[in-house]
Amino acid sequence: MTPLCIQRPLLMPQPRGNSIAVYLDLRSRGIFDSGTLSRQNLNILRDIILQDNKDFNKVWTKSSKSTISYESGRIYFENYQCCYSSFPSHPRLLYDLPKRPRSEKIEDALLCQCPLEKVLPMPSDEKPSLLALTANNWLYRFSAETGQELEKVYLSPHYKFRYLGWDVSQETFYVKSVQNKVTSTARQAGFTQNTLLCLAVFNIFPLKLVGILEISKSVFGSTVLDVVLSQGVLAISHSTKTVRFYSFEDILKRYVTKKLVLGEQCGSERATVVGEAPFGIPVNICINESPPVLFEVSCFDNAVQIGGHPWHYIFTPPHKKHQGSFHICSLKDKTLAKNGIQDMKCCSLESDRIYFHPDDSGRIIHVGPSTINVLKIQSEMESDSQFDIAKEFSITTHRDSGASQTSVTSSGRTVKRRFLQLDDDPEQETFQMVEYEDELDLLAVVHVTNRGDEGQALVSLHDNHTGRLLKKVPLMESWDVTYSHELVFDRDTLVHIEQRKNNNFCCHVYKITSGKVD
């Protein structure tokens, strides 16, 4: 990440062209401040990676019988028990935690990067740490470098917590329980479950409890399905294909009954210490009435995204005629933008995907089987309140449209197919995913084409602002589209995590090198 830049020199020599030698000379003489130096270093790395004589070559492969995860240069195996660093030329083991019984296995984890702008109370807070949630409701904080246990909190004996998520990245996180299910026997007996699930919310650096609350049907309605906390907004989805948004800050102001501090006594009994077993953390955010709704939208599959400049939201209306299209509307007044209905009209097994660009530019990425459109939100010239969705650039696959519709028999007779070929037919080149490398400002696009029984994958690197193709990286391993895949592009490293048959997993690491590696 770019270091905090305090002040930039008023006069700064500018290197001519993109000469790496000039950059290095200026850096050696201390011309740049810290922020500019970091940006110039990344520019040098980008130029090196894109050189014709530099290739991404596979340097490491490791298999696992459990899910593999990657986060900020660290590869996690065996339910986060084993951690490798991807930064060296070949990944190396950082730590391997002691084996845990199944009842204490790690269910979910978050990597925490320490802030640069403030001094923290504990020396251990100054380094990255891993938040880990175990199956027996303990929340641990481990050193991300050594695996040393730094803190632990017991959540509750009454709920089964399973999921971790960021509310505000690297500032506030939440722990979500599984949903309470009513058995068929209890349902027949007339028993109903009022509380759907529970959320515990914490600040990090230092670890501090915000509060714990229940999501109940008596308050939010009998149709409640799920809840997510993001950017200070509590989003609750309903079986009526409706998503309602609430201000979490407003909920804290209205419904906190008592402030709780981890490690301090709560109640008259000595055993009731907040965050310690067997007491855990009591509910201290008691919502007894429906809070004011900030925003509400009806959408297909309860999927809605908010972003852009100015604020817009993307959704598919719940009506059958709108399925396959995405609507882009202003968050201010719900007005549909001009050209705000995006529909690729593709015939495929997998639906196309759309989301706000992770580079915070306010743009939108729309990914289909054969086309990737990067869209921007711009004001209409006649009015500042009316917005237009314009295509900035497109990336397309190379296909022979006519060849797929007809075939020629051995006798020379032309036969036309009875059915049209799908846009994501495995025999054709198909886009599988798009990844953004923020520090190099590059897009990595995965293309897959079947050759016989195996899928061959190619990663193409594109300029983030123009879509111009800059480099192609073939992957050595086959790509089976019937299983899940993850590709991570992190500076000079490509990481491909794939699921295989029998629920096995494999991690492949590619590094930039000069020429081919034997």
Side-chain angles (χ1 to χ4, degrees):
M1 301 300 293
T2 304
L4 180 65
C5 180
I6 300 175
Q7 184 178 4
R8 179 173 298 178
L10 296 177
L11 296 175
M12 182 180 300
Q14 296 296 322
R16 297 178 181 178
N18 293 319
S19 172
I20 293 176
V22 174
Y23 284 142
L24 294 174
D25 176 61
L26 292 174
R27 187 178 71 176
S28 67
R29 290 188 281 146
I31 299 297
F32 298 129
D33 61 36
S34 59
T36 304
L37 177 61
S38 178
R39 287 191 294 272
Q40 298 296 354
N41 288 343
L42 291 172
N43 286 336
I44 293 172
L45 179 60
R46 174 185 163 120
D47 291 340
I48 292 173
I49 287 173
L50 297 177
Q51 288 176 1
D52 292 337
N53 64 337
K54 299 296 187 296
D55 297 307
F56 278 95
N57 290 292
K58 187 190 291 191
V59 298
W60 192 76
T61 297
K62 184 174 174 60
S63 299
S64 173
K65 292 184 179 181
S66 59
T67 305
I68 304 171
S69 303
Y70 180 92
E71 184 71 34
S72 298
R74 296 172 178 85
I75 310 171
Y76 295 97
F77 294 85
E78 311 303 329
N79 295 316
Y80 299 94
Q81 293 283 121
C82 182
C83 178
Y84 284 79
S85 172
S86 69
F87 290 134
S89 57
H90 290 72
R92 64 176 179 85
L93 180 66
L94 281 178
Y95 61 83
D96 194 354
L97 297 177
K99 299 297 181 184
R100 295 172 176 270
R102 188 174 181 83
S103 61
E104 299 177 10
K105 77 167 186 173
I106 297 176
E107 298 275 15
D108 203 358
L110 290 176
L111 183 66
C112 305
Q113 305 281 9
C114 59
L116 298 175
E117 70 278 4
K118 62 181 180 181
V119 177
L120 300 172
M122 298 291 292
S124 62
D125 292 338
E126 302 289 347
K127 295 182 179 181
S129 57
L130 183 76
L131 291 170
L133 174 65
T134 61
N136 58 344
N137 279 356
W138 282 92
L139 177 69
Y140 287 87
R141 189 167 74 90
F142 298 109
S143 166
E145 301 295 337
T146 65
Q148 177 188 358
E149 180 185 313
L150 303 175
E151 290 180 271
K152 66 176 183 177
V153 176
Y154 183 65
L155 296 172
S156 173
H158 306 297
Y159 306 95
K160 169 61 177 173
F161 287 93
R162 182 169 290 174
Y163 311 102
L164 287 171
W166 288 112
D167 170 20
V168 179
S169 181
Q170 306 303 327
E171 292 182 17
T172 307
F173 70 96
Y174 64 93
V175 194
K176 184 166 71 171
S177 73
V178 298
Q179 297 184 9
N180 289 322
K181 301 292 184 180
V182 180
T183 64
S184 58
T185 304
R187 192 180 299 109
Q188 291 173 3
F191 178 77
T192 58
Q193 178 66 53
N194 180 45
T195 301
L196 179 70
L197 51 81
C198 186
L199 288 182
V201 185
F202 297 84
N203 289 327
I204 190 65
F205 299 124
L207 185 63
K208 182 180 178 183
L209 176 68
V210 175
I212 189 167
L213 67 151
E214 295 176 333
I215 303 299
S216 64
K217 295 182 179 181
S218 60
V219 170
F220 294 100
S222 60
T223 58
V224 173
L225 285 179
D226 202 1
V227 60
V228 172
L229 182 61
S230 178
Q231 300 299 317
V233 174
L234 193 71
I236 298 183
S237 56
H238 295 258
S239 59
T240 54
K241 299 181 180 180
T242 301
V243 181
R244 295 189 178 100
F245 298 87
Y246 304 85
S247 168
F248 189 64
E249 181 182 359
D250 182 62
I251 288 174
L252 292 178
K253 289 179 180 178
R254 289 170 179 260
Y255 304 113
V256 172
T257 57
K258 183 178 182 180
K259 287 193 174 182
L260 300 175
V261 179
L262 295 175
E264 292 190 1
Q265 188 173 325
C266 177
S268 56
E269 299 182 13
R270 290 185 178 181
T272 56
V273 177
V274 179
E276 291 188 6
F279 180 69
I281 305 172
V283 173
N284 70 324
I285 305 174
C286 301
I287 307 176
N288 51 25
E289 60 183 355
S290 180
V293 178
L294 289 177
F295 181 70
E296 180 178 333
V297 60
S298 296
C299 52
F300 176 73
D301 205 25
N302 289 318
V304 59
Q305 302 175 66
I306 298 176
H309 304 306
W311 292 102
H312 278 66
Y313 63 98
I314 305 172
F315 72 108
T316 297
H319 312 294
K320 188 174 182 179
K321 65 178 181 179
H322 294 301
Q323 291 184 19
S325 66
F326 299 98
H327 290 218
I328 306 171
C329 299
S330 169
L331 189 64
K332 181 179 180 181
D333 55 12
K334 297 189 176 183
T335 303
L336 181 68
K338 183 180 178 181
N339 300 316
I341 300 178
Q342 294 292 316
D343 190 346
M344 285 190 172
K345 300 187 183 302
C346 52
C347 180
S348 58
L349 294 175
E350 298 290 336
S351 59
D352 47 324
R353 306 174 300 281
I354 194 168
Y355 51 91
F356 288 101
H357 200 308
D359 69 352
D360 293 329
S361 63
R363 297 180 296 170
I364 298 168
I365 299 179
H366 190 181
V367 183
S370 61
T371 304
I372 299 170
N373 292 327
V374 175
L375 313 169
K376 61 181 178 180
I377 304 171
Q378 58 186 21
S379 300
E380 292 260 66
M381 295 184 64
E382 299 81 9
S383 172
D384 291 336
S385 59
Q386 181 64 38
F387 299 97
D388 179 24
I389 306 301
K391 185 187 298 182
E392 194 164 70
F393 63 83
S394 292
I395 301 172
T396 58
T397 58
H398 300 286
R399 294 187 175 183
D400 184 357
S401 59
S404 63
Q405 303 304 320
T406 60
S407 60
V408 180
T409 66
S410 58
S411 62
R413 185 167 59 95
T414 301
V415 179
K416 190 172 183 179
R417 292 177 182 264
R418 291 185 60 188
F419 303 101
L420 293 177
Q421 192 175 34
L422 294 174
D423 290 312
D424 59 351
D425 189 287
E427 295 181 0
Q428 303 184 94
E429 183 183 48
T430 305
F431 291 134
Q432 293 297 313
M433 61 182 65
V434 179
E435 291 296 317
Y436 174 61
E437 213 300 330
D438 58 338
E439 293 179 304
L440 303 182
D441 204 22
L442 293 173
L443 292 174
V445 180
V446 179
H447 314 238
V448 174
T449 309
N450 265 36
R451 295 288 185 264
D453 295 333
E454 293 188 343
Q456 294 184 348
L458 174 76
V459 180
S460 59
L461 305 184
H462 299 258
D463 182 87
N464 182 44
H465 301 281
T466 65
R468 184 168 65 94
L469 175 62
L470 302 174
K471 196 181 192 71
K472 294 181 179 180
V473 182
L475 299 185
M476 296 178 63
E477 64 278 1
S478 62
W479 187 295
D480 190 339
V481 296
T482 60
Y483 294 95
S484 64
H485 296 261
E486 179 185 1
L487 183 87
V488 180
F489 183 20
D490 192 354
R491 295 191 179 186
D492 66 337
T493 306
L494 281 173
V495 179
H496 175 208
I497 300 172
E498 61 170 333
Q499 182 184 8
R500 291 180 168 180
K501 295 179 181 179
N502 302 320
N503 209 31
N504 290 322
F505 299 85
C506 192
C507 177
H508 310 273
V509 176
Y510 291 75
K511 287 282 186 178
I512 198 75
T513 57
S514 297
K516 301 295 182 183
V517 174
D518 294 332

mmCIF file with all atom_site columns, all heavy atoms in Angstrom, residues 287-304:
data_model
loop_
_atom_site.group_PDB
_atom_site.id
_atom_site.type_symbol
_atom_site.label_atom_id
_atom_site.label_alt_id
_atom_site.label_comp_id
_atom_site.label_asym_id
_atom_site.label_entity_id
_atom_site.label_seq_id
_atom_site.pdbx_PDB_ins_code
_atom_site.Cartn_x
_atom_site.Cartn_y
_atom_site.Cartn_z
_atom_site.occupancy
_atom_site.B_iso_or_equiv
_atom_site.pdbx_formal_charge
_atom_site.auth_seq_id
_atom_site.auth_comp_id
_atom_site.auth_asym_id
_atom_site.auth_atom_id
_atom_site.pdbx_PDB_model_num
ATOM 1   N N   . ILE A 1 287 ? -33.429 -3.935  20.006  1.00 0.00 ? 287 ILE A N   1
ATOM 2   C CA  . ILE A 1 287 ? -34.317 -3.236  19.066  1.00 0.00 ? 287 ILE A CA  1
ATOM 3   C C   . ILE A 1 287 ? -35.739 -3.740  19.308  1.00 0.00 ? 287 ILE A C   1
ATOM 4   O O   . ILE A 1 287 ? -36.055 -4.893  19.028  1.00 0.00 ? 287 ILE A O   1
ATOM 5   C CB  . ILE A 1 287 ? -33.890 -3.495  17.610  1.00 0.00 ? 287 ILE A CB  1
ATOM 6   C CG1 . ILE A 1 287 ? -32.406 -3.160  17.431  1.00 0.00 ? 287 ILE A CG1 1
ATOM 7   C CG2 . ILE A 1 287 ? -34.732 -2.693  16.643  1.00 0.00 ? 287 ILE A CG2 1
ATOM 8   C CD1 . ILE A 1 287 ? -31.866 -3.483  16.049  1.00 0.00 ? 287 ILE A CD1 1
ATOM 9   N N   . ASN A 1 288 ? -36.592 -2.883  19.843  1.00 0.00 ? 288 ASN A N   1
ATOM 10  C CA  . ASN A 1 288 ? -37.955 -3.277  20.196  1.00 0.00 ? 288 ASN A CA  1
ATOM 11  C C   . ASN A 1 288 ? -39.017 -2.678  19.288  1.00 0.00 ? 288 ASN A C   1
ATOM 12  O O   . ASN A 1 288 ? -40.215 -2.824  19.520  1.00 0.00 ? 288 ASN A O   1
ATOM 13  C CB  . ASN A 1 288 ? -38.255 -2.913  21.662  1.00 0.00 ? 288 ASN A CB  1
ATOM 14  C CG  . ASN A 1 288 ? -37.901 -1.457  21.959  1.00 0.00 ? 288 ASN A CG  1
ATOM 15  O OD1 . ASN A 1 288 ? -37.878 -0.615  21.064  1.00 0.00 ? 288 ASN A OD1 1
ATOM 16  N ND2 . ASN A 1 288 ? -37.610 -1.181  23.224  1.00 0.00 ? 288 ASN A ND2 1
ATOM 17  N N   . GLU A 1 289 ? -38.573 -1.970  18.236  1.00 0.00 ? 289 GLU A N   1
ATOM 18  C CA  . GLU A 1 289 ? -39.498 -1.392  17.261  1.00 0.00 ? 289 GLU A CA  1
ATOM 19  C C   . GLU A 1 289 ? -38.775 -1.284  15.923  1.00 0.00 ? 289 GLU A C   1
ATOM 20  O O   . GLU A 1 289 ? -37.548 -1.335  15.866  1.00 0.00 ? 289 GLU A O   1
ATOM 21  C CB  . GLU A 1 289 ? -39.959 -0.004  17.708  1.00 0.00 ? 289 GLU A CB  1
ATOM 22  C CG  . GLU A 1 289 ? -38.809 0.976   17.868  1.00 0.00 ? 289 GLU A CG  1
ATOM 23  C CD  . GLU A 1 289 ? -39.250 2.329   18.379  1.00 0.00 ? 289 GLU A CD  1
ATOM 24  O OE1 . GLU A 1 289 ? -40.470 2.532   18.516  1.00 0.00 ? 289 GLU A OE1 1
ATOM 25  O OE2 . GLU A 1 289 ? -38.380 3.186   18.629  1.00 0.00 ? 289 GLU A OE2 1
ATOM 26  N N   . SER A 1 290 ? -39.533 -1.161  14.867  1.00 0.00 ? 290 SER A N   1
ATOM 27  C CA  . SER A 1 290 ? -38.910 -1.089  13.547  1.00 0.00 ? 290 SER A CA  1
ATOM 28  C C   . SER A 1 290 ? -38.212 0.259   13.378  1.00 0.00 ? 290 SER A C   1
ATOM 29  O O   . SER A 1 290 ? -38.861 1.306   13.464  1.00 0.00 ? 290 SER A O   1
ATOM 30  C CB  . SER A 1 290 ? -39.970 -1.265  12.460  1.00 0.00 ? 290 SER A CB  1
ATOM 31  O OG  . SER A 1 290 ? -39.375 -1.200  11.179  1.00 0.00 ? 290 SER A OG  1
ATOM 32  N N   . PRO A 1 291 ? -36.896 0.278   13.142  1.00 0.00 ? 291 PRO A N   1
ATOM 33  C CA  . PRO A 1 291 ? -36.190 1.547   12.934  1.00 0.00 ? 291 PRO A CA  1
ATOM 34  C C   . PRO A 1 291 ? -36.624 2.201   11.618  1.00 0.00 ? 291 PRO A C   1
ATOM 35  O O   . PRO A 1 291 ? -37.200 1.539   10.742  1.00 0.00 ? 291 PRO A O   1
ATOM 36  C CB  . PRO A 1 291 ? -34.716 1.125   12.882  1.00 0.00 ? 291 PRO A CB  1
ATOM 37  C CG  . PRO A 1 291 ? -34.671 -0.282  13.379  1.00 0.00 ? 291 PRO A CG  1
ATOM 38  C CD  . PRO A 1 291 ? -35.995 -0.879  13.063  1.00 0.00 ? 291 PRO A CD  1
ATOM 39  N N   . PRO A 1 292 ? -36.340 3.498   11.455  1.00 0.00 ? 292 PRO A N   1
ATOM 40  C CA  . PRO A 1 292 ? -36.673 4.171   10.189  1.00 0.00 ? 292 PRO A CA  1
ATOM 41  C C   . PRO A 1 292 ? -35.914 3.536   9.023   1.00 0.00 ? 292 PRO A C   1
ATOM 42  O O   . PRO A 1 292 ? -34.727 3.221   9.138   1.00 0.00 ? 292 PRO A O   1
ATOM 43  C CB  . PRO A 1 292 ? -36.206 5.614   10.429  1.00 0.00 ? 292 PRO A CB  1
ATOM 44  C CG  . PRO A 1 292 ? -36.137 5.769   11.910  1.00 0.00 ? 292 PRO A CG  1
ATOM 45  C CD  . PRO A 1 292 ? -35.779 4.418   12.451  1.00 0.00 ? 292 PRO A CD  1
ATOM 46  N N   . VAL A 1 293 ? -36.591 3.328   7.910   1.00 0.00 ? 293 VAL A N   1
ATOM 47  C CA  . VAL A 1 293 ? -35.994 2.738   6.719   1.00 0.00 ? 293 VAL A CA  1
ATOM 48  C C   . VAL A 1 293 ? -35.334 3.847   5.899   1.00 0.00 ? 293 VAL A C   1
ATOM 49  O O   . VAL A 1 293 ? -35.988 4.826   5.528   1.00 0.00 ? 293 VAL A O   1
ATOM 50  C CB  . VAL A 1 293 ? -37.047 2.000   5.872   1.00 0.00 ? 293 VAL A CB  1
ATOM 51  C CG1 . VAL A 1 293 ? -36.416 1.432   4.610   1.00 0.00 ? 293 VAL A CG1 1
ATOM 52  C CG2 . VAL A 1 293 ? -37.697 0.887   6.690   1.00 0.00 ? 293 VAL A CG2 1
ATOM 53  N N   . LEU A 1 294 ? -34.032 3.692   5.631   1.00 0.00 ? 294 LEU A N   1
ATOM 54  C CA  . LEU A 1 294 ? -33.326 4.679   4.809   1.00 0.00 ? 294 LEU A CA  1
ATOM 55  C C   . LEU A 1 294 ? -33.697 4.542   3.332   1.00 0.00 ? 294 LEU A C   1
ATOM 56  O O   . LEU A 1 294 ? -33.895 5.530   2.630   1.00 0.00 ? 294 LEU A O   1
ATOM 57  C CB  . LEU A 1 294 ? -31.806 4.490   4.947   1.00 0.00 ? 294 LEU A CB  1
ATOM 58  C CG  . LEU A 1 294 ? -31.145 4.864   6.266   1.00 0.00 ? 294 LEU A CG  1
ATOM 59  C CD1 . LEU A 1 294 ? -29.659 4.528   6.196   1.00 0.00 ? 294 LEU A CD1 1
ATOM 60  C CD2 . LEU A 1 294 ? -31.332 6.339   6.563   1.00 0.00 ? 294 LEU A CD2 1
ATOM 61  N N   . PHE A 1 295 ? -33.792 3.290   2.889   1.00 0.00 ? 295 PHE A N   1
ATOM 62  C CA  . PHE A 1 295 ? -33.957 3.034   1.462   1.00 0.00 ? 295 PHE A CA  1
ATOM 63  C C   . PHE A 1 295 ? -34.529 1.641   1.301   1.00 0.00 ? 295 PHE A C   1
ATOM 64  O O   . PHE A 1 295 ? -34.225 0.730   2.083   1.00 0.00 ? 295 PHE A O   1
ATOM 65  C CB  . PHE A 1 295 ? -32.601 3.149   0.757   1.00 0.00 ? 295 PHE A CB  1
ATOM 66  C CG  . PHE A 1 295 ? -32.638 2.937   -0.726  1.00 0.00 ? 295 PHE A CG  1
ATOM 67  C CD1 . PHE A 1 295 ? -33.231 3.859   -1.568  1.00 0.00 ? 295 PHE A CD1 1
ATOM 68  C CD2 . PHE A 1 295 ? -32.077 1.801   -1.289  1.00 0.00 ? 295 PHE A CD2 1
ATOM 69  C CE1 . PHE A 1 295 ? -33.258 3.659   -2.937  1.00 0.00 ? 295 PHE A CE1 1
ATOM 70  C CE2 . PHE A 1 295 ? -32.095 1.588   -2.657  1.00 0.00 ? 295 PHE A CE2 1
ATOM 71  C CZ  . PHE A 1 295 ? -32.695 2.531   -3.482  1.00 0.00 ? 295 PHE A CZ  1
ATOM 72  N N   . GLU A 1 296 ? -35.354 1.463   0.287   1.00 0.00 ? 296 GLU A N   1
ATOM 73  C CA  . GLU A 1 296 ? -35.978 0.163   0.035   1.00 0.00 ? 296 GLU A CA  1
ATOM 74  C C   . GLU A 1 296 ? -36.052 -0.078  -1.466  1.00 0.00 ? 296 GLU A C   1
ATOM 75  O O   . GLU A 1 296 ? -36.351 0.838   -2.237  1.00 0.00 ? 296 GLU A O   1
ATOM 76  C CB  . GLU A 1 296 ? -37.376 0.138   0.647   1.00 0.00 ? 296 GLU A CB  1
ATOM 77  C CG  . GLU A 1 296 ? -38.117 -1.171  0.449   1.00 0.00 ? 296 GLU A CG  1
ATOM 78  C CD  . GLU A 1 296 ? -39.481 -1.168  1.121   1.00 0.00 ? 296 GLU A CD  1
ATOM 79  O OE1 . GLU A 1 296 ? -39.656 -0.427  2.124   1.00 0.00 ? 296 GLU A OE1 1
ATOM 80  O OE2 . GLU A 1 296 ? -40.380 -1.894  0.650   1.00 0.00 ? 296 GLU A OE2 1
ATOM 81  N N   . VAL A 1 297 ? -35.782 -1.304  -1.876  1.00 0.00 ? 297 VAL A N   1
ATOM 82  C CA  . VAL A 1 297 ? -35.836 -1.634  -3.299  1.00 0.00 ? 297 VAL A CA  1
ATOM 83  C C   . VAL A 1 297 ? -36.310 -3.074  -3.461  1.00 0.00 ? 297 VAL A C   1
ATOM 84  O O   . VAL A 1 297 ? -35.944 -3.955  -2.686  1.00 0.00 ? 297 VAL A O   1
ATOM 85  C CB  . VAL A 1 297 ? -34.455 -1.436  -3.972  1.00 0.00 ? 297 VAL A CB  1
ATOM 86  C CG1 . VAL A 1 297 ? -33.397 -2.309  -3.335  1.00 0.00 ? 297 VAL A CG1 1
ATOM 87  C CG2 . VAL A 1 297 ? -34.525 -1.695  -5.464  1.00 0.00 ? 297 VAL A CG2 1
ATOM 88  N N   . SER A 1 298 ? -37.162 -3.290  -4.470  1.00 0.00 ? 298 SER A N   1
ATOM 89  C CA  . SER A 1 298 ? -37.602 -4.634  -4.830  1.00 0.00 ? 298 SER A CA  1
ATOM 90  C C   . SER A 1 298 ? -36.718 -5.130  -5.961  1.00 0.00 ? 298 SER A C   1
ATOM 91  O O   . SER A 1 298 ? -36.552 -4.441  -6.969  1.00 0.00 ? 298 SER A O   1
ATOM 92  C CB  . SER A 1 298 ? -39.069 -4.617  -5.273  1.00 0.00 ? 298 SER A CB  1
ATOM 93  O OG  . SER A 1 298 ? -39.912 -4.226  -4.212  1.00 0.00 ? 298 SER A OG  1
ATOM 94  N N   . CYS A 1 299 ? -36.156 -6.320  -5.792  1.00 0.00 ? 299 CYS A N   1
ATOM 95  C CA  . CYS A 1 299 ? -35.184 -6.786  -6.770  1.00 0.00 ? 299 CYS A CA  1
ATOM 96  C C   . CYS A 1 299 ? -35.164 -8.310  -6.835  1.00 0.00 ? 299 CYS A C   1
ATOM 97  O O   . CYS A 1 299 ? -35.554 -8.989  -5.885  1.00 0.00 ? 299 CYS A O   1
ATOM 98  C CB  . CYS A 1 299 ? -33.787 -6.260  -6.457  1.00 0.00 ? 299 CYS A CB  1
ATOM 99  S SG  . CYS A 1 299 ? -33.257 -6.568  -4.755  1.00 0.00 ? 299 CYS A SG  1
ATOM 100 N N   . PHE A 1 300 ? -34.698 -8.811  -7.967  1.00 0.00 ? 300 PHE A N   1
ATOM 101 C CA  . PHE A 1 300 ? -34.581 -10.246 -8.182  1.00 0.00 ? 300 PHE A CA  1
ATOM 102 C C   . PHE A 1 300 ? -33.447 -10.813 -7.343  1.00 0.00 ? 300 PHE A C   1
ATOM 103 O O   . PHE A 1 300 ? -32.354 -10.246 -7.279  1.00 0.00 ? 300 PHE A O   1
ATOM 104 C CB  . PHE A 1 300 ? -34.335 -10.516 -9.669  1.00 0.00 ? 300 PHE A CB  1
ATOM 105 C CG  . PHE A 1 300 ? -34.099 -11.951 -10.010 1.00 0.00 ? 300 PHE A CG  1
ATOM 106 C CD1 . PHE A 1 300 ? -35.139 -12.857 -9.991  1.00 0.00 ? 300 PHE A CD1 1
ATOM 107 C CD2 . PHE A 1 300 ? -32.827 -12.406 -10.330 1.00 0.00 ? 300 PHE A CD2 1
ATOM 108 C CE1 . PHE A 1 300 ? -34.927 -14.193 -10.299 1.00 0.00 ? 300 PHE A CE1 1
ATOM 109 C CE2 . PHE A 1 300 ? -32.599 -13.724 -10.647 1.00 0.00 ? 300 PHE A CE2 1
ATOM 110 C CZ  . PHE A 1 300 ? -33.657 -14.622 -10.626 1.00 0.00 ? 300 PHE A CZ  1
ATOM 111 N N   . ASP A 1 301 ? -33.700 -11.912 -6.666  1.00 0.00 ? 301 ASP A N   1
ATOM 112 C CA  . ASP A 1 301 ? -32.687 -12.629 -5.894  1.00 0.00 ? 301 ASP A CA  1
ATOM 113 C C   . ASP A 1 301 ? -32.097 -11.771 -4.770  1.00 0.00 ? 301 ASP A C   1
ATOM 114 O O   . ASP A 1 301 ? -30.981 -12.035 -4.296  1.00 0.00 ? 301 ASP A O   1
ATOM 115 C CB  . ASP A 1 301 ? -31.570 -13.126 -6.824  1.00 0.00 ? 301 ASP A CB  1
ATOM 116 C CG  . ASP A 1 301 ? -30.843 -14.334 -6.259  1.00 0.00 ? 301 ASP A CG  1
ATOM 117 O OD1 . ASP A 1 301 ? -31.450 -15.054 -5.445  1.00 0.00 ? 301 ASP A OD1 1
ATOM 118 O OD2 . ASP A 1 301 ? -29.678 -14.541 -6.621  1.00 0.00 ? 301 ASP A OD2 1
ATOM 119 N N   . ASN A 1 302 ? -32.812 -10.734 -4.351  1.00 0.00 ? 302 ASN A N   1
ATOM 120 C CA  . ASN A 1 302 ? -32.367 -9.845  -3.267  1.00 0.00 ? 302 ASN A CA  1
ATOM 121 C C   . ASN A 1 302 ? -30.967 -9.298  -3.500  1.00 0.00 ? 302 ASN A C   1
ATOM 122 O O   . ASN A 1 302 ? -30.189 -9.095  -2.566  1.00 0.00 ? 302 ASN A O   1
ATOM 123 C CB  . ASN A 1 302 ? -32.419 -10.574 -1.922  1.00 0.00 ? 302 ASN A CB  1
ATOM 124 C CG  . ASN A 1 302 ? -33.832 -10.819 -1.455  1.00 0.00 ? 302 ASN A CG  1
ATOM 125 O OD1 . ASN A 1 302 ? -34.687 -9.955  -1.573  1.00 0.00 ? 302 ASN A OD1 1
ATOM 126 N ND2 . ASN A 1 302 ? -34.109 -12.011 -0.957  1.00 0.00 ? 302 ASN A ND2 1
ATOM 127 N N   . ALA A 1 303 ? -30.626 -9.047  -4.762  1.00 0.00 ? 303 ALA A N   1
ATOM 128 C CA  . ALA A 1 303 ? -29.284 -8.568  -5.106  1.00 0.00 ? 303 ALA A CA  1
ATOM 129 C C   . ALA A 1 303 ? -29.350 -7.097  -5.509  1.00 0.00 ? 303 ALA A C   1
ATOM 130 O O   . ALA A 1 303 ? -29.976 -6.748  -6.509  1.00 0.00 ? 303 ALA A O   1
ATOM 131 C CB  . ALA A 1 303 ? -28.696 -9.401  -6.241  1.00 0.00 ? 303 ALA A CB  1
ATOM 132 N N   . VAL A 1 304 ? -28.717 -6.249  -4.718  1.00 0.00 ? 304 VAL A N   1
ATOM 133 C CA  . VAL A 1 304 ? -28.645 -4.817  -5.041  1.00 0.00 ? 304 VAL A CA  1
ATOM 134 C C   . VAL A 1 304 ? -27.262 -4.311  -4.645  1.00 0.00 ? 304 VAL A C   1
ATOM 135 O O   . VAL A 1 304 ? -26.701 -4.714  -3.627  1.00 0.00 ? 304 VAL A O   1
ATOM 136 C CB  . VAL A 1 304 ? -29.758 -4.028  -4.313  1.00 0.00 ? 304 VAL A CB  1
ATOM 137 C CG1 . VAL A 1 304 ? -29.660 -4.200  -2.812  1.00 0.00 ? 304 VAL A CG1 1
ATOM 138 C CG2 . VAL A 1 304 ? -29.717 -2.554  -4.679  1.00 0.00 ? 304 VAL A CG2 1
#
